[in-house]
């Protein structure tokens, strides 16, 4: 029984930069963790039942065939009373998470901004470039219904969006990412260490790091390496750099740069290029540009690794694809659907990673089980929110191997 | 965006909307608004319940308390689980209508008139 319960908010590790929460602010997040689990667990099943019992039969009666695309399932389900109520509940939960988080952050913004400024002036771990703009695929809508997106400012130089991201992730993920919300990065580290126990990468690039939740654990696991964590959003980087400094992690630098143009790094500069939950927030034109740049700056023999939810395939039932698409249309994730519909192996191959150098591995969040129960996944499929991901990767062939393959 | 030194009205700013058109979930917009209010209230009641629990636990342990004690209180593992269970049970109470609708979907009961008619015959 106890293992089904999410931990209380106060189980989170409160690093120095983490906004302080009052008793009731923590309690509101506790409500949301439970509420979210309830929506996906206890009553989530209603969507499939509605589909099988009435939506699909009605579709067959009308069209004389089964749906052929997840969008047909969506159109039909969006007319279903149950699915609409369930979606309204879930949308409200996301909006509450933002509102509650912003209240926590904004009421103490003066302190947070001052602290971030201090850390960043002293650590030398933040490098901003005002010439870098937040790309259009990030500004068309505020992703995740996060007011201000990853880049917006309440006043010049503030850390609101980064701090709000940190303070509320716990509620959205039901506490499944661990005390520092870094269960994904830790999973990557475990995978790499199991796969290549003797590998010691020296230069690591994380593209689209946001506040570094999953880049910091890589820096911690490879203390001799230098991690460069880039993002286009200064407002997130300011908080992320201060957070890493506050945690005492020194071998990571937060640099404002776009993955579409890595010209400041020479060919083969990095031993490892990492993206985590990043590719699905790009656009059809940006993704291949970024992957080609990643290929160029990656050294032969180096690792490229992308952590994402599983791609859709013909083997995945249309209903599951539709449910996994929910965030695209209801939580402002406009590239989610198209990205997951692509053949990522082919996209990677076009960027220069031969198919036979690629692999797909399953990874799940690594959290301290003494405090954080594992993600509720058994029998309660969370369609894109459980802390289980696919790692899409490749070891870049050495020059000789490429010649043989060519 | 405000000037760097102007004091922020955090209450007003916190409610800022995310850019992007919000889907209408119901034909009557009043229902969409009502959902927002009802579930924000649900979160508030949950927070109040937790606060009450904190007060009771502190009184049990110390016989007296201050506001600072309440703010500083962090449940230990056992208390965290008890409170987690209480919150779970609370969510189950306010969500009963939705949960029973899922059960009803599963069961596909006929309309009650069918049963009434059958019993009048059989
Ligand atoms: C979903 S978040 C990534 C989460 C993060 N990797 C983690 O593990 O916590 C996507 C991030 O990518 C950034 N981004 C979007 N386009 C980018 C680009 N072209 N180059 C670098 N960063 C970009 C956004 O600003 C945002 O912070």
């Amino acid at each position: 029984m106890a293992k089904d319960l999410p931990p209380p908010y106060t189980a989170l590790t409160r690093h120095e930069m983490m906004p302080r929460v009052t008793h009731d602010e923590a309690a509101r997040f506790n409500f949301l963790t439970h509420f979210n689990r309830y929506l996906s667990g206890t009553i989530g099943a209603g969507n499939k039942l509605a589909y099988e019992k009435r939506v699909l039969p009605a579709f067959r009666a009308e069209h004389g065939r089964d749906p052929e695309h997840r969008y047909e399932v969506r159109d039909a389900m969006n007319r279903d009373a149950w699915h609409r109520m369930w979606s309204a509940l879930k949308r409200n939960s996301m909006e509450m998470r933002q509102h509650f988080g912003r209240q926590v952050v904004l009421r103490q913004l003066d302190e947070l901004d001052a602290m971030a400024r201090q850390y960043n002036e002293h650590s030398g771990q933040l490098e901003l470039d005002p010439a870098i703009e937040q790309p259009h695929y990030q500004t068309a809508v505020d992703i995740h219904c996060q007011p201000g997106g990853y880049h917006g400012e309440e006043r010049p130089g503030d850390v609101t969006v980064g701090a709000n991201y940190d303070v509320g992730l716990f509620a959205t993920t039901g506490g499944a990412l661990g005390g520092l919300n870094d269960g994904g990065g830790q999973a990557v580290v475990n995978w790499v260490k199991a796969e290549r126990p003797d590998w010691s990468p020296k230069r690591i690039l994380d593209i689209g790091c946001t506040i570094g939740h999953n880049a910091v654990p890589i820096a911690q696991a490879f203390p001799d390496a230098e991690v460069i964590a880039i993002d286009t959003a200064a407002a997130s980087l300011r908080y992320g750099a201060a957070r890493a400094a506050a945690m005492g992690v020194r071998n990571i630098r937060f640099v404002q740069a776009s993955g579409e143009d890595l010209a400041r790094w020479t060919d083969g500069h990095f031993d490892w290029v990492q993206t985590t939950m990043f590719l699905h927030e790009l656009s059809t034109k940006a993704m291949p540009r970024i992957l080609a740049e990643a290929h160029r700056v990656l050294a032969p023999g180096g690792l490229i690794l992308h952590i994402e939810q599983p791609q859709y395939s013909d083997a995945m039932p249309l209903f599951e694809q539709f449910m996994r698409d929910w965030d695209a249309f209801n939580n402002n994730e406009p590239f989610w659907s198209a990205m997951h519909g692509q053949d990522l192996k082919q996209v990677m191959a076009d960027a220069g990673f031969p198919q036979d150098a690629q692999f797909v591995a399953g990874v799940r969040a690594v959290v301290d089980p003494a405090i954080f129960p594992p993600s509720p996944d058994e029998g309660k499929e969370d369609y894109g929110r459980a802390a289980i991901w696919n790692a899409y990767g490749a070891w870049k062939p050495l020059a000789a191997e490429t010649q043989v393959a060519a | 965006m405000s000037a760097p030194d102007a004091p922020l009205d955090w209450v007003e700013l916190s409610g800022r909307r995310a850019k992007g058109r919000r889907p209408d979930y119901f034909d009557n917009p009043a229902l969409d608004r009502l959902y927002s209010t009802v579930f924000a209230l649900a979160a508030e009641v949950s927070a109040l319940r937790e606060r009450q629990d904190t007060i009771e636990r502190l009184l049990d342990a110390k016989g007296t308390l201050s506001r600072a004690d309440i703010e500083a209180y962090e449940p230990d593992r056992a208390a965290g689980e008890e409170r987690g269970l209480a919150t779970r049970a609370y969510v189950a109470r306010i969500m009963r209508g939705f949960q029973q609708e899922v059960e009803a979907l599963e069961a596909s009961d006929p309309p009650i008139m069918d049963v009434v008619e059958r019993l009048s015959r059989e």
Side-chain angles (χ1 to χ4, degrees):
Chain A
M1 163 62 83
K3 88 180 203 321
D4 282 353
L5 296 170
Y9 191 83
T10 44
L12 279 180
T13 311
R14 260 74 53 80
H15 54 76
E16 277 298 307
M17 265 317 293
M18 185 79 157
R20 301 294 170 235
V21 290
T22 64
H23 180 282
D24 295 4
E25 287 167 343
R28 288 185 192 109
F29 285 133
N30 285 337
F31 170 77
L32 286 181
T33 61
H34 281 270
F35 192 58
N36 285 331
R37 285 198 178 191
Y38 191 90
L39 296 185
S40 57
T42 312
I43 63 169
N47 292 310
K48 193 155 193 210
L49 284 167
Y51 182 64
E52 284 168 356
K53 296 227 169 183
R54 59 193 188 206
V55 175
L56 183 58
F59 185 98
R60 285 176 176 152
E62 189 184 340
H63 299 274
R65 60 169 175 84
D66 279 3
E68 282 159 7
H69 193 274
R70 59 184 180 279
Y71 289 177
E72 284 188 336
V73 176
R74 182 166 63 97
D75 287 344
M77 284 294 278
N78 279 347
R79 289 192 292 271
D80 184 74
W82 169 263
H83 185 65
R84 288 163 74 158
M85 286 192 298
W86 183 85
S87 294
L89 292 170
K90 198 155 157 156
R91 170 79 183 209
N92 271 291
S93 174
M94 302 297 144
E95 290 171 347
M96 283 191 279
R97 171 261 171 269
Q98 294 300 334
H99 198 169
F100 297 174
R102 283 173 63 81
Q103 290 209 337
V104 170
V105 168
L106 288 165
R107 70 168 172 77
Q108 57 190 305
L109 189 62
D110 290 348
E111 290 95 310
L112 292 172
D113 280 350
M115 197 153 38
R117 212 172 299 119
Q118 270 220 329
Y119 273 121
N120 291 334
E121 272 167 15
H122 289 106
S123 76
Q125 287 174 260
L126 175 66
E127 186 186 321
L128 297 183
D129 177 354
I132 301 291
E133 279 180 18
Q134 191 70 352
H136 71 89
Y137 40 88
Q138 284 276 322
T139 56
V141 296
D142 283 343
I143 300 206
H144 307 147
C145 296
Q146 193 167 277
Y150 297 99
H151 62 289
E153 296 182 333
E154 302 299 332
R155 60 186 179 199
D158 76 332
V159 296
T160 305
V161 290
N164 178 33
Y165 192 73
D166 204 14
V167 92
L169 199 54
F170 173 89
T172 323
T173 56
L177 297 182
L180 285 162
N181 286 310
D182 65 354
Q186 289 202 44
V188 166
V189 165
N190 278 12
W191 181 86
V192 166
K193 294 215 161 177
E195 191 74 12
R196 295 266 166 111
D198 298 326
W199 192 46
S200 57
K202 288 282 169 289
R203 293 172 182 156
I204 302 169
L205 176 68
D206 184 285
I207 307 178
C209 64
T210 310
I211 64 163
H213 275 139
N214 296 307
V216 166
I218 295 176
Q220 288 171 309
F222 295 96
D224 296 333
E226 187 201 32
V227 176
I228 304 286
I230 69 168
D231 201 290
T232 43
S236 292
L237 291 169
R238 280 194 286 269
Y239 180 85
R243 176 182 178 273
M247 288 167 61
V249 183
R250 303 308 310 266
N251 59 326
I252 181 166
R253 275 202 306 137
F254 290 80
V255 177
Q256 190 175 13
S258 171
E260 292 189 57
D261 176 10
L262 302 174
R264 58 185 288 176
W265 291 287
T266 53
D267 294 3
H269 183 81
F270 292 101
D271 303 314
W272 176 358
V273 177
Q274 174 70 32
T275 77
T276 304
M277 273 82 83
F278 169 70
L279 299 180
H280 68 264
E281 291 188 4
L282 302 174
S283 74
T284 295
K285 287 184 177 158
M287 182 160 79
R289 274 204 287 270
I290 291 175
L291 292 178
E293 272 294 82
H295 180 266
R296 183 184 65 72
V297 298
L298 186 62
L303 171 67
I304 186 157
L305 199 61
H306 309 290
I307 299 293
E308 291 291 336
Q309 292 291 333
Q311 292 296 99
Y312 305 152
S313 69
D314 293 343
M316 185 186 281
L318 287 182
F319 177 80
E320 182 177 342
Q321 296 183 24
F322 147 75
M323 284 299 290
R324 288 180 173 278
D325 251 10
W326 188 90
D327 283 85
F329 304 98
N330 294 280
N331 199 24
N332 285 359
E333 284 275 19
F335 187 48
W336 179 280
S337 184
M339 182 274 174
H340 285 285
Q342 294 205 19
D343 178 355
L344 200 50
K345 282 205 145 183
Q346 189 55 49
V347 180
M348 295 259 296
D350 294 342
F353 300 99
Q355 294 258 6
D356 58 9
Q358 294 185 37
F359 57 83
V360 182
V363 293
R364 76 170 44 221
V366 176
V367 299
D368 178 357
I371 306 171
F372 284 86
S375 166
D377 48 71
E378 285 140 40
K380 290 186 177 177
E381 175 53 84
D382 199 5
Y383 299 117
R385 277 174 197 280
I388 307 165
W389 308 279
N390 275 0
Y392 296 90
W395 294 93
K396 185 174 176 178
L398 297 165
E401 291 171 0
T402 318
Q403 272 168 15
V404 174
Chain B
M1 202 162 80
S2 12
D5 299 320
L8 296 176
D9 181 345
W10 63 267
V11 176
E12 186 186 320
L13 286 176
S14 65
R16 184 169 148 197
R17 180 187 83 96
K19 182 178 177 187
R21 185 183 293 189
R22 189 185 197 275
D24 299 322
Y25 293 102
F26 303 103
D27 296 329
N28 183 346
L31 263 182
D32 276 294
R33 298 297 83 77
L34 199 59
Y35 264 54
S36 316
T37 304
V38 165
F39 290 98
L41 278 172
E44 273 333 277
V45 172
S46 187
L48 278 172
R49 290 177 48 85
E50 236 185 75
R51 195 171 181 92
Q52 177 83 15
D53 180 79
T54 297
I55 293 172
E56 288 170 11
R57 283 172 195 270
L58 287 170
L59 286 176
D60 273 352
K62 305 172 37 167
T64 177
L65 54 79
S66 66
R67 280 201 212 185
D69 291 337
I70 298 174
E71 289 305 331
Y73 177 78
E74 288 188 14
D76 61 18
R77 174 135 202 184
E81 282 177 15
E82 282 170 34
R83 286 153 70 110
L85 186 58
T87 306
R88 206 180 134 211
Y90 163 76
V91 170
R93 289 194 293 281
I94 64 167
M95 297 299 286
R96 185 200 63 255
F98 295 93
Q99 167 247 316
Q100 292 189 349
E101 183 168 340
V102 175
E103 271 185 42
L105 267 169
E106 183 113 58
S108 312
D109 291 332
I112 187 74
M113 268 319 279
D114 293 9
V115 183
V116 171
E117 274 168 22
R118 181 160 54 82
L119 292 194
S120 69
R121 279 183 278 108
E122 293 170 16

